Amino acid sequence: MSEYHIPVLLDESVSALVGNVSGVYADATFGGGGHTAEILSRLSPDGKVLAFDRDADAIANKIDDPRLTLIHNNFRFIHNFVLYEGYRDGIDGVLADLGVSSHQFDTAGRGFSFRYDAPLDMRMNKEARTTAADIVNTGSEEYLERIFRVYGEVDGSRRMARMICAAREQSPIDTTAQLDKAIEGMLPKFAEHKFLAKVYQALRIEVNQEMKSLEKFLEGAAQSLKKGGRLVVITYHSLEDRMVKNFIRSGTVDGKAEKDLYGNVSAPLKAVNRKPVLPQESEIASNTRARSAKLRIAEKV
C-alpha cells in the first residue's frame, strides 16, 4: 500500500476522526488503503468502514477485513450509499484525502504528469468518456481560457488557450509531450515545472469534474453524519481548501451563508480547528507531496 500511495497526516486525521471505537466511518478516498487500514486498527470488532474510490486500480488494493465495505464509485454519492448500506440514523465520521494519489502521478500511462511522454488522459475513472486530449482538441478558446484561469490560476491563460488552438490545427494534441510543445513559448525560465503543474492541475480538475464532485461530497457527508460526527478533510490546493473552509463555516462552498428569520447562519457543521493542521517537517522530508497538505476538522451540530 505504501508503494501505491503514502497516506498524509495519517495519525492527525484518524485521531480527529475516530471517537467511538464501535462506530461506523467512511473513507471517501480509499486509494492505497492507508487511512482505511489505520481507521480499522482503532476500531473494535463491532466497528465498520465504508470506503470509496472511482479508480479501479485503487479498488484492487482492497483490505481483507469483514468490517470493510469497499465501494467502486465517486464519493459525491456518499449519502446515497450510506442510506443503501442501512445507516439511516447516520454514521460517526467521514474522512477525505483529496487530490491525486502517488500511483496516479507515477503511472506514466495515466497521463497525470508532465514528467512522462504519455497519452493525455487524466481520467480517475478509466471508464469515463472524456479525456484531457478530448478537452484540449475540441474545447473552444474561451472554454480553455476559463479552465486554465479558474482551475490552474495560470498567468496568460488567454494567450495559452490561443496557442493550443493554433497548434491543434496543425496536428492533434494527443500526448503530454505534444501539449508541452504547444505551449513551450509560455514556459518561464527556471520555473517550467511549477507552471506546467498548474496547467495539468487545471485539465485534471476539468476532466474529473473535481470541484462539482467535492461540492456534492461535502453536502452528502454533512447529511450522512450523526450529531457530533466528524468530517475530516485533507486538501492540497487553494481552490479545494477554500471550498472546504467555506462549507464548514457557512454550509455552502461559495461562502454565502443561508440564514434563518433571526439572521442566524444555518450551517450543518462547526469547525473544530480554526486554523488547518499542517504536516510536521519530518513528514514533509520523507514525503514531499505532503508539503501543501492542510487538514480541516468539523463536527455535525
Side-chain angles (χ1 to χ4, degrees):
M1 286 183 288
S2 61
E3 292 180 0
Y4 187 97
H5 181 72
I6 301 172
V8 173
L9 290 161
L10 181 62
D11 180 66
E12 294 90 337
S13 59
V14 177
S15 294
L17 179 75
V18 178
N20 174 15
V21 298
S22 298
V24 180
Y25 297 89
D27 181 353
T29 49
F30 180 71
H35 285 102
T36 291
E38 183 65 20
I39 296 168
L40 288 167
S41 74
R42 303 191 187 198
L43 298 183
S44 72
D46 296 325
K48 301 288 183 184
V49 175
L50 305 178
F52 296 78
D53 211 295
R54 53 178 156 175
D55 191 334
D57 288 358
I59 297 300
N61 295 319
K62 183 176 181 179
I63 299 168
D64 185 15
D65 191 311
R67 298 172 297 171
L68 171 65
T69 300
L70 186 53
I71 298 165
H72 185 191
N73 218 310
N74 193 317
F75 69 175
R76 68 187 294 164
F77 302 116
I78 183 172
H79 188 54
N80 303 63
F81 281 100
V82 167
L83 295 178
Y84 177 78
E85 294 295 333
Y87 303 111
R88 297 190 175 275
D89 294 330
I91 60 178
D92 296 273
V94 177
L95 181 148
D97 180 7
L98 303 178
V100 182
S101 72
S102 299
H103 172 80
Q104 289 167 331
F105 270 131
D106 295 339
T107 303
R110 302 294 296 273
F112 282 98
S113 176
F114 52 83
R115 291 181 293 139
Y116 310 103
D117 183 8
L120 201 55
D121 193 321
M122 299 192 191
R123 293 171 297 170
M124 290 182 178
N125 177 358
K126 289 182 283 188
E127 296 180 0
R129 293 182 179 180
T130 303
T131 67
D134 294 329
I135 290 172
V136 166
N137 285 294
T138 64
S140 68
E141 183 178 312
E142 293 74 18
Y143 171 60
L144 293 175
E145 185 276 333
R146 182 189 63 82
I147 291 172
F148 295 125
R149 172 174 48 83
V150 175
Y151 295 151
E153 299 176 318
V154 175
D155 294 331
S157 56
R158 171 66 68 180
R159 180 188 168 207
M160 189 169 69
R162 192 176 302 122
M163 292 173 72
I164 289 172
C165 290
R168 75 191 190 193
E169 288 184 5
Q170 304 301 315
S171 179
I173 301 172
D174 294 324
T175 69
T176 56
Q178 289 169 340
L179 175 60
D180 298 351
K181 179 70 174 177
I183 62 174
E184 65 178 351
M186 286 197 65
L187 302 182
K189 288 185 178 181
F190 311 114
E192 295 97 333
H193 287 186
K194 186 175 182 180
F195 187 89
L196 285 170
K198 292 181 177 182
V199 173
Y200 278 64
Q201 172 184 293
L203 279 174
R204 189 200 79 223
I205 288 173
E206 181 67 9
V207 167
N208 297 290
Q209 294 292 294
E210 290 179 37
M211 297 299 98
K212 178 55 69 174
S213 289
L214 177 56
E215 179 180 2
K216 294 298 183 184
F217 160 71
L218 291 169
E219 293 170 353
Q223 289 177 292
S224 299
L225 288 170
K226 296 177 179 177
K227 182 178 179 181
R230 290 278 180 97
L231 173 66
V232 177
V233 184
I234 303 168
T235 67
Y236 293 89
H237 59 77
S238 59
L239 294 175
E240 61 190 16
D241 186 62
R242 191 179 307 126
M243 290 176 67
V244 174
K245 181 181 178 181
N246 284 344
F247 189 84
I248 292 172
R249 183 180 62 212
S250 65
T252 62
V253 295
D254 60 8
K256 297 177 181 178
E258 297 180 3
K259 298 181 179 180
D260 62 21
L261 293 174
Y262 305 99
N264 299 311
V265 176
S266 56
L269 305 171
K270 67 175 181 180
V272 173
N273 56 334
R274 287 185 63 245
K275 293 185 177 181
V277 177
L278 304 179
Q280 299 290 326
E281 289 298 326
S282 57
E283 179 173 6
I284 296 173
S286 63
N287 180 14
T288 56
R289 286 175 180 159
R291 64 184 178 274
S292 57
K294 294 181 179 180
L295 171 64
R296 295 192 182 274
I297 308 162
E299 197 168 276
K300 182 75 172 283
V301 295

